Structures are given as structure tokens and as C-alpha cells.
């Protein structure tokens, strides 16, 4: 038996038994797991109201629990379809065992929150042709005007709630936690998480099946539902912020290596999410295109583009899910601690920093590089249009500078570019210098701006730069120089060639005051697009 300590602690085998489906009805799995989670939430709310303590934020905990209940109902509304359950699983009886009933006799503050939740539930059930079996308790909650919720006025086939959800067994599982006053919160929060991870896994499996048959729209829809679940779970885990540390730490030590970091379903979710990229590879192969092609011309691949965007959203939501666990851990046990699995809390960072889809990450970066050059002529112009007019002006200060000094500075300027030497290049400029590259775009100003420009250059182009200066005009009496150049280099092993003209204004001390670079950066983007097969060489020539 290879049961993890975490699974033993939260009684996961018993929780799983409540999810076991008896029919092929697609709604059965999310209904079972979703309402098990809601029943656990009802019990946790009741527990919090019955045992108030001055040492913890009971009001905040209750508010967050009710908010979570509303989110869970909204998730079910998003996930369920309108298919009726099989006839043999219907019943005409309302639940007599749901733990919702124990909240109805609560004080006015709880009832008010319960009424708000009941509105969400009522709206949720309105669009479904079946009832769930707890409507009689919803009907007990009067609306503001004294009317009764209208669910009971409609006769609908009802889901066999008590048989399918088994509220009595959920109470038994909940009551197993008796170590101290934070034991039930800690266990139940993780149990609810596992319920929704179970639903998320089922949705991702459906998405994988749909994607394998190129049904991209349905595959995307399932991923979007998982994203909504992860949004909820990221907030849900932060309920543990409300724990009293004086109660939690004795529990933590007694649990030793039982940790939510052991969640097998969380690992499965990441593994399954990665496999969702495989059908995309097949599509790219079949259509002889690349990811960059889909990003650059999404209208040609609309369903697949939407699928890619859904994968990107899934990656973000998974990262946020793990980030919230990391922040919770640092808040409770500090960032220098070893987690219960024996590795530092800081190691959790890797889970939400590393890209889940490396190929998408690389394609997005390539798209950034290409569009930077494609629209380079108007870079920063939106900001320039909002700045005071005088800020954008370059002051043309005429100062006589010796010919020899200008030539030496230009040589050092070119040498620093070819060698990627930021410090040597920056030392050539006055503190308030500017560079306008390309001419007409918003200038980079002062040493801080020049650093941004140069770092961007050396990030994109390799250090094997061949810089050819073709024509040079030196005007020492005006402190100016102008020269034509041609650069041969590479970007990620892709050969790149581009040419231009540079005009430089020097200060009297020989330092550079401003630079204007005249070239067409779209020439670079065309070469990159041709290399990636997004456009043909002939198309690139037409674009010039």
C-alpha cells in the first residue's frame, strides 16, 4: 500500500468513495464531487459559528467560506450541461440529510449570508431541467420582500441527493478531525481542494479526447472550465491564512510529513496539462506551419489559436495556484523553513516560474522580437504624443571638435557595439545624451535610457557582429559625423543583415550628445518571418 501521509490525514480514500459514479450521465461526476465540497463547506461554516474564539478572525473566515460557497455554485453552473439524469437515478423526494439544514437555524448574520448564497443557487438552477433535492431548504429562506424562492413552484425531476452525495458519511469524515481547533479547517480546506481537482482532471481528460480528434472548440471550452476551477482554488487555499498559528504549529508537528505538497491529483493535473500540447504538434505537422504562424495570422487558424490561448490561460492559472501555496507557506512557516517534504519553501518557486509550455514560450518571445522591428519606426510614439513638445526636441549644440577625436570616438563606438561592451559604449555619452533608433521613434534619454537600448540590442543579436562602415563624413567645425554602415549578425542562429546611416552630434569634450539612426527595422522582421516560414522570400521582397 503506497498511500501518502497527506492522503491518510484527509481521509482521501473515503472522500473518493463519494465520487464513485453509477451511470454514464456526464453531470454525475461534477455533481457528486461539487456537492461533497459544498457539504464540507456547510459543516465548516457551522463549526466556525459554534466555536467562536477571540484569537482568530471568525467574521473574516465565515465571509470567505460563504464567498467560496457562491463560487462553487457558479462553477457548477459553468460546468454542468442540461442533460437529464437517467430515469432510474431520479426521485421525487427532497434531501432530509443535507448539512445545509443546520445553518438555517443560525443567527441573523448567518441567515443574511445564507440568503445571498440562495440567490446564487436559485439562478443556477433556473436554467436546468432537473432539481438537486435540497430546494426545500432554499425555500425556507425568505427573500427580502417576504416571498418564497420560486424553485418549489416548478415541478422538475430531482437528483437523488441523499443517495448520491451521502451527507451522513461526509459528517463522519468531518468529525474524524479532533486534534485541536484548527485540525478541521486544515483538513477540510484540502478535502474541498481535492474534490475540485478531481473535477478539473475529468475536464482535462475530456479536453484531450476532443483535441485528439481536432474538435478544438470543445477542447477549448473544457480547458476554460478548468481555468475557472483553478481561479477558485487559488483563493480557497488562502482560507488557511485565518488559522491561529499557536494552534496550527502543534498540529503541523504531529502531522510531520503530511502536506498538501503531496497531492497526487495536483501533480496529475500538471502532467495532463502538458499532454494537451501534443495534439497541437500534430496540427502544426499536418498543416506545415509553426506556432509563430498561428500567432502572426490567427484568423487563418482561429479554432487552434483559441485553443493555444486557452493553454496559455491554463498555464497562468496553474502558476497562480502554486504561487498562492508558496505565499501561504511563507506567511505561516517563513521562507527559510524546510517544508514537510524536506525541501526549502523557496523550492516551490520553480513550480510557478518555469514555463509549462516551452514551445509556446519561445514562440511568444519570437513574436515580440519580430513585432519590435516590424513596428519599430513608430516605437514609443504614443507616449511622445502625450509628452510636452519641448521634451522631444534634440538641442543641436554646435561645438568644434577635432577630427582626430571624432574618428577615435566613432571607432570606440563601433568596437563597443561589436563586443557587446555596455560600459565602454555608455562611457562615450554625455549624461543627458539621447539616441533615436530608428529616426522618428521616441528617443532613449540619459544613461538609464541608453542602457535599456543597448541591453535590448545585445539580447537580440549575437556577439559575432560584422560591422562595415561604407562612407564617413566628419564635420569637425560643427562637431558632427555621419556614416553609412551595414551589419551582418545572427539572432538565435538566424542570419540577419541590415544597413543604415548614423548621424552623431558631439559635445566640445568629445562626448556624444545625440545619435540619430536612419534605417528600416522592418527589414529585420521580414528576414525572421521568412526563416520561420510565416512568409515567403518573394512576399518579403514585396513588403520592402
Amino acid at each position: 500500500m503506497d498511500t501518502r501521509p497527506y492522503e491518510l490525514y484527509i481521509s482521501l480514500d473515503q472522500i473518493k468513495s463519494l465520487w464513485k459514479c453509477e451511470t454514464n450521465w456526464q453531470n454525475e461526476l461534477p455533481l457528486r464531487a461539487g456537492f461533497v465540497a459544498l457539504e464540507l463547506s456547510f459543516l465548516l461554516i457551522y463549526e466556525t459559528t459554534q466555536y467562536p474564539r477571540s484569537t482568530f478572525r471568525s467574521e473574516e473566515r465565515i465571509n470567505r467560506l460563504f464567498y467560496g460557497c457562491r463560487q462553487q455554485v457558479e462553477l457548477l453552473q459553468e460546468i454542468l450541461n442540461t442533460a437529464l439524469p437517467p430515469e432510474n437515478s431520479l426521485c421525487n423526494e427532497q434531501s432530509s440529510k443535507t448539512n445545509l439544514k443546520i445553518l438555517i437555524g443560525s443567527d441573523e448574520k448567518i441567515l443574511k449570508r445564507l440568503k445571498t448564497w440562495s440567490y446564487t443557487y436559485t439562478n443556477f438552477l433556473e436554467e436546468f431541467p432537473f432539481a438537486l433535492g435540497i430546494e426545500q431548504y432554499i425555500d425556507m429562506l425568505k427573500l427580502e420582500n417576504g416571498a418564497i424562492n420560486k424553485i418549489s413552484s416548478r415541478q422538475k425531476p430531482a437528483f437523488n441527493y441523499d443517495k448520491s452525495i451521502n451527507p451522513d458519511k461526509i459528517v463522519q469524515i468531518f468529525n474524524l478531525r479532533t486534534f485541536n481547533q484548527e485540525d478541521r479547517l486544515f483538513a477540510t480546506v484540502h478535502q474541498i481542494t481535492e474534490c475540485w481537482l478531481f473535477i478539473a482532471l475529468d475536464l482535462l481528460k475530456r479536453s484531450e479526447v476532443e483535441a485528439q480528434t481536432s474538435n478544438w472548440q470543445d477542447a477549448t471550452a473544457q480547458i476554460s472550465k478548468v481555468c475557472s476551477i483553478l481561479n477558485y482554488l487559488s483563493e480557497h487555499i488562502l482560507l488557511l491564512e485565518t488559522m491561529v498559528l499557536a494552534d496550527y504549529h502543534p498540529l503541523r508537528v504531529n502531522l510531520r510529513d503530511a502536506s498538501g505538497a503531496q497531492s497526487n491529483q495536483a501533480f496529475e493535473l500538471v502532467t495532463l496539462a502538458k499532454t494537451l500540447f501534443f495534439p497541437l504538434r500534430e496540427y502544426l505537422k499536418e498543416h506545415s506551419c509553426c506556432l509563430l504562424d498561428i500567432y502572426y495570422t490567427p484568423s487563418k487558424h482561429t479554432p487552434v489559436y483559441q485553443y493555444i490561448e486557452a493553454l496559455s490561460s491554463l498555464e497562468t492559472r496553474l502558476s497562480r495556484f502554486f504561487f498562492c501555496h508558496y505565499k501561504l507557506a511563507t506567511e505561516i512557516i517563513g521562507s527559510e523553513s524546510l517544508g514537510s517534504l524536506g525541501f526549502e519553501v523557496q523550492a516551490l518557486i520553480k513550480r510557478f516560474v518555469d514555463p509549462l509550455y516551452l514551445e509556446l514560450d519561445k514562440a511568444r518571445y519570437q513574436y515580440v522580437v519580430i513585432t519590435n522591428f516590424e513596428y519599430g519606426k513608430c516605437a514609443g510614439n504614443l507616449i511622445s504624443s502625450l509628452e510636452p513638445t519641448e521634451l522631444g526636441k534634440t538641442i543641436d549644440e554646435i561645438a568644434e571638435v577635432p577630427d582626430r577625436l571624432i574618428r577615435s570616438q566613432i571607432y570606440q563606438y563601433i568596437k563597443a557595439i561589436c563586443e557587446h561592451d555596455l560600459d565602454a559604449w555608455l562611457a562615450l555619452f554625455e549624461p543627458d545624451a539621447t539616441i533615436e533608433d530608428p529616426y522618428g521613434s521616441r528617443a532613449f534619454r540619459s544613461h538609464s535610457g541608453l542602457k535599456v537600448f543597448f541591453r535590448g540590442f545585445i539580447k537580440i543579436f549575437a556577439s559575432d557582429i560584422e560591422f562595415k562602415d561604407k562612407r564617413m563624413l566628419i564635420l569637425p567645425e560643427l562637431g558632427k559625423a555621419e556614416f553609412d554602415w551595414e551589419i551582418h549578425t545572427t539572432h538565435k542562429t538566424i542570419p540577419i543583415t541590415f544597413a543604415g546611416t548614423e548621424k552623431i552630434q558631439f559635445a566640445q569634450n568629445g562626448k556624444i550628445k545625440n545619435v540619430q539612426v536612419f534605417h528600416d527595422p522592418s527589414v529585420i522582421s521580414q528576414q525572421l518571418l521568412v526563416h520561420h516560414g510565416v512568409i515567403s522570400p518573394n512576399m518579403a521582397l514585396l513588403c520592402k
Side-chain angles (χ1 to χ4, degrees):
M1 183 178 177
D2 187 27
T3 304
R4 302 179 182 210
Y6 162 74
E7 294 177 356
L8 289 172
Y9 169 62
I10 67 168
S11 310
L12 188 57
D13 284 346
Q14 294 185 56
I15 295 287
K16 281 182 176 179
S17 70
L18 299 170
W19 303 335
K20 190 175 180 181
C21 295
E22 298 174 355
T23 71
N24 292 323
W25 183 41
Q26 202 175 57
N27 286 324
E28 185 178 2
L29 184 151
L31 273 176
R32 282 180 179 270
F35 272 91
V36 168
L38 274 167
E39 287 286 333
L40 287 166
S41 300
F42 297 152
L43 289 168
L44 205 49
I45 291 170
Y46 183 74
E47 163 96 359
T48 307
T49 62
Q50 293 303 299
Y51 304 102
R53 288 176 283 157
S54 60
T55 52
F56 86 110
R57 299 169 285 178
S58 60
E59 194 75 11
E60 180 184 347
R61 186 181 292 185
I62 289 170
N63 284 338
R64 289 166 76 160
L65 282 166
F66 269 110
Y67 178 63
C69 287
R70 293 199 301 276
Q71 287 180 298
Q72 290 179 73
V73 170
E74 288 167 354
L75 284 173
L76 286 171
Q77 186 173 15
E78 182 179 350
I79 292 165
L80 299 178
N81 57 48
T82 56
L84 281 167
E87 195 168 334
N88 60 3
S89 66
L90 296 173
C91 71
N92 294 321
E93 297 179 4
Q94 288 280 306
S95 169
S96 62
K97 299 180 179 179
T98 175
N99 294 293
L100 176 61
K101 64 184 180 182
I102 61 176
L103 293 177
I104 292 178
S106 302
D107 63 32
E108 191 57 38
K109 283 186 178 180
I110 299 299
L111 279 176
K112 185 177 180 180
R113 296 182 180 95
L114 204 54
K115 286 177 185 178
T116 302
W117 176 81
S118 76
Y119 303 151
T120 305
Y121 182 90
T122 302
N123 292 332
F124 150 62
L125 206 63
E126 275 297 295
E127 63 185 74
F128 290 99
F130 55 87
L132 295 175
I134 61 171
E135 288 69 39
Q136 65 172 329
Y137 300 102
I138 302 295
D139 290 343
M140 293 179 186
L141 298 166
K142 303 289 185 177
L143 299 179
E144 294 294 336
N145 59 8
I148 296 178
N149 270 320
K150 54 186 176 182
I151 293 179
S152 61
S153 64
R154 295 192 176 187
Q155 296 301 316
K156 297 180 181 179
F159 183 59
N160 194 332
Y161 190 92
D162 286 348
K163 179 185 174 184
S164 300
I165 308 303
N166 202 341
D168 285 346
K169 186 170 183 179
I170 295 171
V171 172
Q172 292 173 9
I173 295 169
F174 184 79
N175 287 333
L176 289 173
R177 308 272 59 85
T178 58
F179 179 80
N180 70 9
Q181 291 176 304
E182 296 298 13
D183 191 3
R184 285 181 181 169
L185 176 72
F186 192 71
T188 306
V189 164
H190 286 96
Q191 289 165 346
I192 292 169
T193 297
E194 294 296 328
C195 288
W196 283 102
L197 286 176
F198 180 66
I199 297 172
L201 279 168
D202 180 66
L203 290 168
L204 284 193
K205 288 171 186 174
R206 292 189 210 174
S207 179
E208 185 180 29
V209 171
E210 299 293 355
Q212 286 172 345
T213 56
S214 299
N215 191 350
W216 302 108
Q217 188 172 359
D218 285 351
T220 299
Q222 305 306 327
I223 296 171
S224 296
K225 293 172 186 177
V226 175
C227 289
S228 296
I229 290 173
L230 290 169
N231 281 340
Y232 159 67
L233 289 179
S234 296
E235 293 184 30
H236 166 72
I237 194 64
L238 297 180
L239 261 170
L240 297 181
E241 289 177 326
T242 65
M243 290 191 304
V244 177
L245 294 186
D247 293 324
Y248 167 69
H249 283 303
L251 172 65
R252 176 186 61 79
V253 175
N254 275 268
L255 287 174
R256 200 173 196 177
D257 59 344
S259 164
Q262 293 176 339
S263 173
N264 191 49
Q265 290 196 131
F267 284 112
E268 282 183 45
L269 198 67
V270 174
T271 301
L272 189 51
K274 289 179 179 178
T275 66
L276 293 177
F277 192 82
F278 299 160
L280 193 54
R281 288 195 188 123
E282 292 301 313
Y283 176 89
L284 297 175
K285 183 178 178 182
E286 182 182 344
H287 291 79
S288 301
C289 63
C290 62
L291 288 170
L292 188 57
D293 188 29
I294 295 174
Y295 277 124
Y296 198 75
T297 54
S299 58
K300 291 183 181 179
H301 313 269
T302 301
V304 178
Y305 175 75
Q306 291 173 342
Y307 180 77
I308 289 173
E309 290 298 279
L311 290 182
S312 297
S313 294
L314 178 62
E315 179 178 34
T316 301
R317 300 314 185 278
L318 280 167
S319 296
R320 181 172 177 243
F321 175 71
F322 289 119
F323 174 74
C324 287
H325 281 72
Y326 162 74
K327 288 304 294 180
L328 180 68
T330 59
E331 184 177 333
I332 292 175
I333 62 176
S335 60
E336 294 185 36
S337 296
L338 287 177
S340 56
L341 297 185
F343 53 79
E344 291 186 2
V345 170
Q346 290 290 344
L348 286 170
I349 294 174
K350 187 176 176 63
R351 289 196 185 184
F352 58 83
V353 170
D354 289 351
L356 186 66
Y357 303 110
L358 284 171
E359 288 162 89
L360 288 180
D361 184 67
K362 290 177 181 178
R364 286 191 290 258
Y365 171 67
Q366 284 300 320
Y367 195 26
V368 166
V369 172
I370 288 169
T371 51
N372 280 351
F373 289 116
E374 184 176 6
Y375 306 110
K377 283 188 174 180
C378 56
N381 284 356
L382 180 59
I383 302 303
S384 297
S385 67
L386 301 173
E387 291 176 325
T389 306
E390 59 273 12
L391 187 61
K393 291 181 179 178
T394 299
I395 300 173
D396 195 12
E397 294 180 354
I398 296 174
E400 186 172 351
V401 182
D403 181 289
R404 177 183 53 79
L405 180 55
I406 290 177
R407 290 182 186 275
S408 173
Q409 291 294 78
I410 291 174
Y411 171 77
Q412 294 297 328
Y413 177 84
I414 294 172
K415 182 173 182 288
I417 290 173
C418 292
E419 294 178 356
H420 283 191
D421 191 338
L422 171 59
D423 292 336
W425 184 79
L426 203 60
L428 299 169
F429 289 85
E430 287 279 84
D432 61 347
T434 65
I435 185 166
E436 201 172 339
D437 183 1
Y439 179 74
S441 64
R442 185 170 182 266
F444 292 90
R445 300 185 179 96
S446 74
H447 279 203
S448 60
L450 296 177
K451 284 180 184 178
V452 172
F453 166 78
F454 198 82
R455 284 170 178 161
F457 181 89
I458 63 178
K459 169 72 176 175
I460 293 171
F461 297 120
S463 55
D464 57 341
I465 295 174
E466 183 183 354
F467 195 109
K468 297 180 179 179
D469 55 290
K470 296 184 173 182
R471 174 191 68 90
M472 187 174 295
L473 174 65
I474 307 294
L475 301 171
E477 67 280 4
L478 299 177
K480 291 183 178 182
E482 180 180 316
F483 61 95
D484 300 333
W485 49 259
E486 185 175 284
I487 287 178
H488 296 264
T489 183
T490 57
H491 167 68
K492 303 283 187 183
T493 73
I494 304 168
I496 299 292
T497 300
F498 58 108
T501 299
E502 214 139 322
K503 294 182 179 181
I504 303 179
Q505 172 72 57
F506 292 88
Q508 194 168 24
N509 60 5
K511 297 279 188 178
I512 297 172
K513 284 290 292 180
N514 61 72
V515 180
Q516 293 175 330
V517 186
F518 296 82
H519 75 112
D520 183 1
S522 67
V523 169
I524 300 169
S525 68
Q526 298 300 316
Q527 293 174 67
L528 293 171
L529 288 168
V530 168
H531 174 83
H532 289 289
V534 177
I535 63 172
S536 67
N538 290 336
M539 181 64 73
L541 290 171
L542 289 173
C543 292
K544 286 185 178 181

